[in-house]
Amino acid sequence: MCGIVAYIGSEQARPVLLEGLKRLEYRGYDSAGIAMLNGGLHIARTVGRVRVLEQKIDGDDHFNGTIGIAHTRWATHGGVTEQNAHPHSDDADRGHGVVLVHNGIIENHASLKTWLLSKGHTFASETDTEVLTHLIGELYEGDLAAAVRAALREVEGAYAIAVICSEQPDVLVAARRGSPLLIGVSDSGYIVASDAQAIVAHTSRVADLDEEIVATITRDAFHTADLDNIEVTAKLRELEVSLDEIELGDHAHYMFKEILEQPQAMRRCLRGRINVRDGEVILGGLGDHARELIRSKRVIFLGQGTALHAGMLGEYLMEDLAKVPAETDFASEFRYRNPIIEEGTVVVAVSQSGETADTLAGIREAGERGAMTIGLVNVVGSSIPNATDAGVYLRVGPEVGVASTKAFLGQVMAATMFAMFLGRRRFLSNTQTVRLLGELEGIPDKLERVCGLSDEAEQIAKRYIHRDNWLFLGRGYNYPVALEGALKLKELSYIHAEGMPAAEMKHGPIALIDEGMPAVFIATRNSQYRKVLSNIEEVKSRGADVIAVATEGDDEIRGLADEVFYVPDAPEPLQPLLTIVPLQLLAYHAALLRGHDVDKPRNLAKSVTVE
Ligand code: G6P
């Protein structure tokens, strides 16, 4: 969603800030802005892309300075206008030149604004952020960090902020609660950013800011304290993200690059975690909790979007392989429906970013109600791993394309290993485990073949691209794959698509089927194969065009379906790791054919940090 970059040091800040903002573009935004101190306060804001901002300040010497803050905004409070874009400053005439960028939401902004209005402040925007800026300005008495701490003591809600002040041109203040913020420590100075990707080109040394900690950063040092100014020590760590991983390289789009990376990503996800010969699953992040986990009586998977679909697969895997009753819920629904957590309940948050507001809040709610909490998360050091008792990192590398692909596979792979970790300790025999782990180890090689389906996906997409309504149908393990296939198509190509259990189709949606409507069936050889064939007959007889994802060597389905993607055979619980890939490719090509920005679909954000 919103992105923050700030710099203080000996180098020119402008290139660091603009380059950083460009690296955050993938997260989705609608406006951008920059503020710098250079013999006074200079602010520029624009609606649109970072390059528009870059052009606006090009050749403007005011923006040649060594301290500045910058922001990309995804509107929550107030429309997409230049006035509402960050940075915001306190009142130019009576203020102190306090200027701020903010991610998150100040929930009590209305009451704070009333108080500030009574003190004579006037506001230029509709944003909660401007209210916080004025509050800091109101409380400023010559020490910016002290004013920030005092203001944050009054604030309810979530924030990651970077603040500078024209009266103190050698200080940058940063703080966070509920929104991520990192401090990169480079040879030339400090880069504060909401995402490691804005830092990695300059340094791999970072300090994570903990909740409600304020960092006071000067050109050669930084120190951290809580809101009561009690000193705390920030721990430095090395970033695991390299510049290569976030560069596009020879690929036209991040999404395509990330689809093709899936075999390698799965190898990384599995590495050191399975021992096929001895039938062992070794998940270091769960180790200490193994005894408690084995006794679990119920597992609830939480997530949003693609991560929810991975959670649904986790549910099937958990019941199938570990024989623990399992369910899945939208984190947003779970947290507000007064969920029942009994002894032995384990709640699993599934998330690429580790920052999705609803998922984070859901897992906190579960923890407060006494559940053991587990995270299946990609981004190391993000909020969900910090909020959970234990977890498994996906290790698929940074995902830049807004539509999740390799992270989905990583989530499913992590859920599979988690289910087998429990299953092996509960009822799976050594022989069964050895066999299944051997199959799991073979998945990356099979994925190499499936990734070769791109040309076929393009041809099929071309034949059906003019159709505006699609159905995606599957049974059992292939039902969440149908949901995910439909989500990929709708979010990228803006074609209306619905996923559902193939049997449910007869209970209403069949009324939608008319001549030439594409119906995508995930129809691999498994326990429900025959039933799926009957469902295919049902839609065909009503005029639908059937696109099937089937098992290599299945000639029977050729006679029924109009188009077939063949994927290698695999045991039923592992089939989703293969069957989703042609659907990712189909959505990718459909979006290209419709002329859309594949990596930044309209209205979407990579990481949704508001409820
Ligand atoms: C956004 C993204 C989706 C993603 C979802 C959950 O909606 O556009 O691609 O699946 O958030 O994100 P998470 O980071 O928790 O996996």
Side-chain angles (χ1 to χ4, degrees), residues 303-308 350-356 359 384 399 402-404 407 411 487-488 491 604-608:
Q304 299 287 141
T306 289
L308 180 89
V350 186
S351 177
Q352 190 287 128
S353 62
E355 302 293 350
T356 300
T359 311
I384 290 174
E399 188 178 71
V402 166
S404 190
Q411 289 158 354
L487 177 62
K488 282 282 125 341
E491 67 184 342
L604 294 184
K606 179 75 185 151
S607 166
V608 179

Side-chain angles (χ1 to χ4, degrees), residues 429-480:
S429 72
N430 183 263
T431 317
Q432 287 170 314
T433 314
V434 166
R435 197 180 318 126
L436 200 53
L437 287 181
E439 293 283 354
L440 201 57
E441 196 179 38
I443 288 291
D445 288 348
K446 291 181 180 174
L447 275 169
E448 303 272 8
R449 274 152 62 194
V450 184
C451 286
L453 290 171
S454 180
D455 289 347
E456 267 178 82
E458 185 179 6
Q459 293 312 317
I460 294 175
K462 271 187 186 151
R463 289 199 276 279
Y464 299 92
I465 195 62
H466 51 288
R467 306 281 184 203
D468 287 328
N469 290 295
W470 294 48
L471 281 181
F472 285 72
L473 302 158
R475 284 169 172 263
Y477 281 102
N478 285 330
Y479 156 50

